[in-house]
Amino acid sequence: VIRYCESRLTPEASAKASILLEALPYLRRFSGKIVVVKVGGEILRDKEAVTALIEDLSLLHLNGIKILLCHGGGPQISEAMARLNLVPHFVDGQRVNDPETLEISANVLIGDVNRNLTNLLNVKAPIALGISGCSANILLCKERDPRLGAVGAIELVRTEPLLKMLDNGYIPVIASLGTDGCGRTFALNADIAAGELAGALRAEKLVILTNTEGIYEDPSLKTRLISEIDATSLISLGEKGAFTDGMLPKVESILTALSNGVMSAHVLNGRVNHVLLLEFFTRAGIGTMIYP
Amino acid sequence: VIRYCESRLTPEASAKASILLEALPYLRRFSGKIVVVKVGGEILRDKEAVTALIEDLSLLHLNGIKILLCHGGGPQISEAMARLNLVPHFVDGQRVNDPETLEISANVLIGDVNRNLTNLLNVKAPIALGISGCSANILLCKERDPRLGAVGAIELVRTEPLLKMLDNGYIPVIASLGTDGCGRTFALNADIAAGELAGALRAEKLVILTNTEGIYEDPSLKTRLISEIDATSLISLGEKGAFTDGMLPKVESILTALSNGVMSAHVLNGRVNHVLLLEFFTRAGIGTMIYP
Amino acid sequence: VIRYCESRLTPEASAKASILLEALPYLRRFSGKIVVVKVGGEILRDKEAVTALIEDLSLLHLNGIKILLCHGGGPQISEAMARLNLVPHFVDGQRVNDPETLEISANVLIGDVNRNLTNLLNVKAPIALGISGCSANILLCKERDPRLGAVGAIELVRTEPLLKMLDNGYIPVIASLGTDGCGRTFALNADIAAGELAGALRAEKLVILTNTEGIYEDPSLKTRLISEIDATSLISLGEKGAFTDGMLPKVESILTALSNGVMSAHVLNGRVNHVLLLEFFTRAGIGTMIYP
Amino acid sequence: VIRYCESRLTPEASAKASILLEALPYLRRFSGKIVVVKVGGEILRDKEAVTALIEDLSLLHLNGIKILLCHGGGPQISEAMARLNLVPHFVDGQRVNDPETLEISANVLIGDVNRNLTNLLNVKAPIALGISGCSANILLCKERDPRLGAVGAIELVRTEPLLKMLDNGYIPVIASLGTDGCGRTFALNADIAAGELAGALRAEKLVILTNTEGIYEDPSLKTRLISEIDATSLISLGEKGAFTDGMLPKVESILTALSNGVMSAHVLNGRVNHVLLLEFFTRAGIGTMIYP
Amino acid sequence: VIRYCESRLTPEASAKASILLEALPYLRRFSGKIVVVKVGGEILRDKEAVTALIEDLSLLHLNGIKILLCHGGGPQISEAMARLNLVPHFVDGQRVNDPETLEISANVLIGDVNRNLTNLLNVKAPIALGISGCSANILLCKERDPRLGAVGAIELVRTEPLLKMLDNGYIPVIASLGTDGCGRTFALNADIAAGELAGALRAEKLVILTNTEGIYEDPSLKTRLISEIDATSLISLGEKGAFTDGMLPKVESILTALSNGVMSAHVLNGRVNHVLLLEFFTRAGIGTMIYP
Amino acid sequence: VIRYCESRLTPEASAKASILLEALPYLRRFSGKIVVVKVGGEILRDKEAVTALIEDLSLLHLNGIKILLCHGGGPQISEAMARLNLVPHFVDGQRVNDPETLEISANVLIGDVNRNLTNLLNVKAPIALGISGCSANILLCKERDPRLGAVGAIELVRTEPLLKMLDNGYIPVIASLGTDGCGRTFALNADIAAGELAGALRAEKLVILTNTEGIYEDPSLKTRLISEIDATSLISLGEKGAFTDGMLPKVESILTALSNGVMSAHVLNGRVNHVLLLEFFTRAGIGTMIYP
């Protein structure tokens, strides 16, 4: 059986090669490193964004990057509560978790968001293990504030089960719930959980996917997008009141990660297709990078 | 600092010693072996029974037995549907899973039952990893019957992630859901899932905890409790119509396991306190044992 | 083939379960830890006590506790000398070892006591390796006192061969003899050898099985049996002359072990059936516990 | 320190992402596999081609592909002989190796070509080990034909040292020399050596880089470039006399490799920049692929 | 600090080098192989012979040969019995072992001969572990003949503990006693035990050290010393009645070993200084070699 | 098949045994240790000396000594240049390396000397891997002196690839070339390269084989051969101008090695047959030993 061709060397080939070559030094740098990615519930409703995200995570994983995916599910929880005619309460930007709310949150986070993320990753290769921070007491918590109900403050991250999963080639997909080790479940802010996980695992990067282009100097105007900023300058910005409620836990998460040895943190727009790939493998970078 | 005592050698001591000694040959036999335990949703609502079950599983695990816990959650799902004024439909004893039902089933099974079982086990030691059969495509399914909606028939059990968890000393707690590897979730009968898991893992034992004393020759009369029975005789009994709807998937599960090399299957009353401990460590055994 | 039963759930079952449950936290604590057990020659002549001891050691070993058994054989040596019409001499409670006595001691300790202990343990499972402290120069000695002849003072415990045996799942059974590494054999007090072994191996426990209930405050009266005592108080008691000749080396052994990091030492009555099991697995403990 | 940017999301970004995504399934397929690449001396003189080749090999290596590079050096040897006013003789397309020629060949192949290839690869990362087939008797030969002098026919490939180097993460760069294991060196045709190496290592691919676009049905006309061909058809073409002297050993090499379990062989134009990258990572493929 | 010398290159140096060089191919062949050496009690009383034997065993061990030393102690046992005015009985060249005789045999073999051999080996390096075949039920026996009392016939050699000791770099020194696995001890003919050990361990060589030069065709005349003989010819010689009582178990041992895959057996005069070294490392060999 | 012999115990046997016994403590001491041997080009032309050297290296390797062989090739390079009518230039005893000279040096060192040494070692067993210091950037250099051309000064020894080869049981044969990690090759003095390698690998010994008996106090008179000298005294001798051009780099090499933890350095006459064997395995030692 013989097949012929006239010429297959198109001008595009050279362009392809040069893009693959640009990715080379980044591959070298990140292979074998741990990267914690946080994805919020709102992005997970954008089907195109999720498809691109799943492709990117698979590609990073195939290149030997150890991925840990941490997710929340705020909009999904609010919607489930709305269906039951329940009104969520917030204190200081944190959802109050009475027993009924916690039950709904847990069901939606693990039973719905986590399961679907896990299933989608497993279409590429059977590598995703969907768990919550309750598994093996990975996220050990105490009660954060009596006014908030079952909202946890992380006291200890038990990294051993995560490291074993990563070493065995799996991607842990972690719903942002924790436990006090005595059987009780706590809701956790997914941004903060991601920062604690990245710090405890001494991750190379913490990537927070959100729905803005990155951090703006003045978020109300959305004029001055910050490309790179160090932790000290970020703290100063915060003291000037630059951050909105949604950004506050992201900033806290980033500072926790950086002060525990994480090399860089990134705030990216999760709705930009293949934003992870572009951040990891292209020279320009994208969004806001925060370094220690 | 000195403390004194008059005499601490009570007559009970000798009784204690003799019970520990009776357990000795069983420990020797089961250490390092895999045991699949299936627990139904109804038992999980009996607080005392659950407490005893958790203690037993911890003890077996500490003695080097590799435990895999598979659970369903029928009553919990029915209750959640009732709260939403939804009526479950059944065909051939199998719940029909339209999209809304599947969503509720998944939420309750993973977000509620699995999380709580995992949390309770982790109170003893941080050893339980709560997952569903969707993780790493462990339970690969196809659609069982178009009339049943998202109800799966297991085509392949991917044992590698489970064997790694067991070898690393963890107890996988598996919600009876599966996936087609293309992103879709299926509900699975937990009895049948447990039998497939036990067979694929070449488990030493399959233990089905239920709410009867075991298998009765005539379940309506509950007079002749079977102590031991071989697979062929069990099949004969089934052909005589001896089994009710609830018992049919248990029998199918047991026969699947035994025909794949599992050494014995057990139907035990999960409401008897410490029924697992008594089955493993005492001479008399308990409930019904089925052997190949 | 079907067998039936009426009811097998006796009231005893619950009692059995509760005793197994009591043992649970102790199993968790001691699994994988090293325990040095010293047994004296007099107990080895009590057939019932030896049978119970062997069963206990097997049970501890099966539960993953790393057992090292060190034994003496004073009465057996005295008897062998009597048969040859030789009279043992003692200086400071230590048997004088002229060449002929050493020869008889070595023959009886290794050829008789050690062999029989090893054989009895191997009836349960082929796990016991009978050696003396001369093997691989495990117990390196110098001459203790010229007046005592071939009586050794331990200078170094070579732990490597013992750790390899323990890691490979064997129980070393060690006759209390040592060597100077130049071909000469020395008799050793078995209590002191056990303390040195426990200290060098950083054992979790040192257990000295003897023929009293434990340590009495006034051994002549046998009224005030000490339940728990710390090392400092034990030294004070000794300075008050509370200990008889037979107890002196036990106290020296215990203090050696505790000062080298052993967590607790125990003096137990080896004639109480299953005294090891009761000490390890029941809440009350038994005999005298000495802690650092 | 804060840096700002207006917008960094260029239209190119999406193009970049799609090319990286195209590479994804190929990475998955080749990671961990062994690939033998043969490069001829003439390509090594084309500086741009060599630079691109080195980049490609580094990229493949970084992606976990186990690369073994086998090279000849015909033009370099001829040039060295010319400088010494020596005239090479050929029999059946094979260079005759009298002692002086062998000496010059060995010097040029190892001392010049191999060293330079190794050095160039090591600029990217210190991963290349430059050896000849004499090292550890990797290419065991006998004399091919008395008329050819020190020209070897490979009798055995000792794969163990190569597998150890590959497993340790190195790229063996092998000069096409062999030994009879008795101290004598033989020149080897590099194409044939590459085919034997690929076959013995059960490589995934054998890639022969040459200075034509691939295999032409009629090489004199260079009209019909073959895109894909199976081994049987290749043999038929050969029997029709389709191959020139330079192509004959390539065809022999390919048939040796394929008959020993290599999955595919490729003849590519080494002067096309990044031809390896395009072959491995793009959908179209390039050059001629031969399959079993 | 400087030291001078005139000339240190003596004519002996070259002789030394050539002897070391002769040893080279033998080292290559035996390194990492298992060799079972049997030494009889009579040789152990010849102090010079023992010293040379110990040096040889150390040298072989240091060169990576895995040595297992099996010993008897007939003369020592007879002497101990004489001291107690006991008369040994023999049936078919086997000592009858009534309970008292077994007790004395065990004491002398383990407590005296084994301990001294172990101690002597440990002077060189702490590598010898003195055990009997009772340890870990290594030599599992049944009663050989009711007339002989506690004389065992080996039914199974448990090689695992021996292989672990050999792999950990130790020399097991084994007293020729066995057990029925139920606590009873049996005396074993050391020649036969050595043959069974060599066969079960698939040893490279079995070496029997005795007090003759090797096997004579007619032992009464001691004229025709056999240098090499195959197993079949040895059997023929035996059928002609060529062997005395002392040689019979040696022949049985050798045939057992050879029929289980041992490559060669050797009967050497243990009183020739460094006979092991000469057998292993010189071209001529020594004594009688028997091959399959 | 039977073969007989009269007597094979010759008086030589005992002499053989005593020489093997003398080697015993040295084997014990060096087994598993790393030894760096430097051999100069002049010795490699003495066929008898090379044969003996190869035998010695094989013997040392077989006894578990980890050998690394570093070689130069000065005379071979000079000869090759002469054939091309090129005149080598020297500055401070270092050959000036213009591009043409470097090319010839590299060709001769790797293509000729290294290949032949490797081939000869592999006749004994396939254990030698012939590489240069360019492989895996093992010898990282900078330019030593602009006047010298491509002559390197070692900045870093990358030991990992060498340790892997040694651990895998191979003998690295290293041609004294280095690289700047940017593709350029540098000639290195082989003495100095050997000293850097020995120091970086924390070798037990550095052995420099040369064509004198060792170090003389006054090399012009060759009267006072130094048997042992410490580093400080060696430095003093140097300050008195005791060393010729050829000896200067040897002294620098030795001091580098000793100051980096090498236990001893040796200057031996490589033309004395089996000088390595005599140095390692006989009591007297040979040549000059330098200690820290």
Side-chain angles (χ1 to χ4, degrees), chain C residues 53-105:
Chain C
L53 172 64
I54 294 297
E55 285 187 306
D56 289 10
L57 291 168
S58 295
L59 179 53
L60 297 177
H61 177 263
L62 271 167
N63 278 283
I65 298 170
K66 293 176 170 174
I67 304 281
L68 187 148
L69 187 61
C70 180
H71 68 85
Q76 290 85 346
I77 295 168
S78 300
E79 190 179 81
M81 292 182 76
R83 255 181 282 150
L84 293 159
N85 295 318
L86 295 166
V87 183
H89 301 283
F90 290 85
V91 173
D92 301 347
Q94 297 286 315
R95 192 189 301 266
V96 175
N97 274 267
D98 54 69
E100 194 170 21
T101 302
L102 179 78
E103 206 60 29
I104 293 166
S105 299

Side-chain angles (χ1 to χ4, degrees), chain D residues 58-75:
Chain D
S58 295
L59 179 52
L60 297 177
H61 176 263
L62 271 166
N63 279 283
I65 297 169
K66 294 177 169 172
I67 304 282
L68 188 147
L69 187 61
C70 179
H71 68 87

Side-chain angles (χ1 to χ4, degrees), chain A residues 241-279:
Chain A
F243 305 130
T244 56
D245 281 5
M247 191 56 80
L248 279 172
K250 290 179 189 17
V251 169
E252 181 182 336
S253 164
I254 288 162
L255 294 174
T256 299
L258 295 179
S259 67
N260 280 289
V262 173
M263 302 301 284
S264 67
H266 302 261
V267 178
L268 307 179
N269 185 347
R271 287 216 176 83
V272 173
N273 274 352
H274 303 298
V275 69
L276 273 182
L277 231 51
L278 296 168
E279 161 53 34

Side-chain angles (χ1 to χ4, degrees), chain A:
Chain A
V1 184
I2 312 185
R3 290 204 305 160
Y4 303 92
C5 66
E6 282 325 293
S7 164
R8 280 175 309 173
L9 279 178
T10 62
E12 291 165 19
S14 159
K16 284 188 179 184
S18 77
I19 286 165
L20 289 167
L21 285 164
E22 183 189 334
L24 175 60
Y26 299 103
L27 272 177
R28 185 182 313 188
R29 180 159 156 214
F30 294 120
S31 186
K33 299 288 171 57
I34 296 175
V35 172
V36 173
V37 178
K38 188 263 164 174
V39 60
E42 64 286 350
I43 294 161
L44 298 175
R45 320 193 112 187
D46 178 337
K47 203 163 177 183
E48 199 184 346
V50 169
T51 304
L53 172 63
I54 294 295
E55 284 187 308
D56 289 10
L57 291 169
S58 295
L59 179 52
L60 297 177
H61 177 263
L62 271 166
N63 279 284
I65 297 169
K66 293 176 171 172
I67 304 282
L68 188 148
L69 186 61
C70 179
H71 67 86
Q76 289 86 344
I77 293 169
S78 301
E79 191 180 81
M81 291 181 76
R83 256 181 282 150
L84 292 160
N85 294 319
L86 296 166
V87 183
H89 300 283
F90 289 85
V91 174
D92 300 347
Q94 297 287 314
R95 191 190 301 268
V96 174
N97 275 266
D98 54 69
E100 192 169 25
T101 304
L102 178 78
E103 204 62 27
I104 293 165
S105 299
N107 282 10
V108 168
L109 277 177
I110 324 182
D112 180 2
V113 181
N114 187 273
R115 171 174 59 87
N116 282 314
L117 262 175
T118 302
N119 267 354
L120 289 171
L121 273 164
N122 285 335
V123 173
K124 295 289 174 183
I127 49 172
L129 295 175
I131 57 172
S132 80
C134 296
S135 273
N137 295 347
I138 287 168
L139 295 175
L140 265 174
C141 308
K142 61 176 183 189
E143 199 180 52
R144 184 163 180 160
D145 181 335
R147 294 174 301 161
L148 295 173
V151 171
I154 295 170
E155 296 223 294
L156 182 73
V157 179
R158 295 191 67 253
T159 57
E160 193 190 323
L162 298 173
L163 291 170
K164 286 212 169 110
M165 290 176 190
L166 293 169
D167 286 347
N168 285 333
Y170 295 105
I171 297 180
V173 181
I174 304 190
S176 58
L177 296 170
T179 178
D180 60 359
C182 303
R184 198 175 161 201
T185 303
F186 291 93
L188 294 168
N189 179 289
D191 288 317
I192 288 172
E196 294 277 0
L197 286 162
L201 292 163
R202 300 276 177 278
E204 183 73 12
K205 282 195 186 203
L206 165 66
V207 179
I208 296 179
L209 297 176
T210 180
N211 53 4
T212 67
E213 292 307 311
I215 299 179
Y216 288 93
E217 201 173 54
D218 181 343
S220 56
L221 297 176
K222 295 215 174 187
T223 46
R224 304 253 292 166
L225 176 61
I226 296 170
S227 170
E228 288 180 29
I229 185 168
D230 65 294
T232 312
S233 306
L234 188 70
I235 293 169
S236 303
L237 270 188
E239 287 165 353
K240 292 181 205 151
F243 305 130
T244 56
D245 281 5
M247 191 56 80
L248 279 172
K250 290 179 189 17
V251 169
E252 181 182 336
S253 164
I254 288 162
L255 294 174
T256 299
L258 295 179
S259 67
N260 280 289
V262 173
M263 302 301 284
S264 67
H266 302 261
V267 178
L268 307 179
N269 185 347
R271 287 216 176 83
V272 173
N273 274 352
H274 303 298
V275 69
L276 273 182
L277 231 51
L278 296 168
E279 161 53 34
F280 271 82
F281 292 133
T282 61
R283 217 165 283 132
I286 200 163
T288 301
M289 181 180 88
I290 308 96
Y291 54 89

Side-chain angles (χ1 to χ4, degrees), chain B residues 30 47 54 63 67 79 113 120 124 133 154 163 194 237 260:
Chain B
F30 294 119
K47 205 165 178 181
I54 295 296
N63 278 284
I67 304 283
E79 191 180 82
V113 181
L120 288 171
K124 296 287 174 184
I154 295 170
L163 291 171
L237 271 188
N260 280 289

Side-chain angles (χ1 to χ4, degrees), chain D residues 244-274:
Chain D
T244 56
D245 282 4
M247 190 56 80
L248 279 173
K250 289 178 189 19
V251 169
E252 182 183 335
S253 165
I254 287 162
L255 294 174
T256 299
L258 294 179
S259 68
N260 280 288
V262 174
M263 302 301 284
S264 67
H266 302 261
V267 178
L268 307 178
N269 186 348
R271 287 215 175 82
V272 173
N273 273 353
H274 303 298

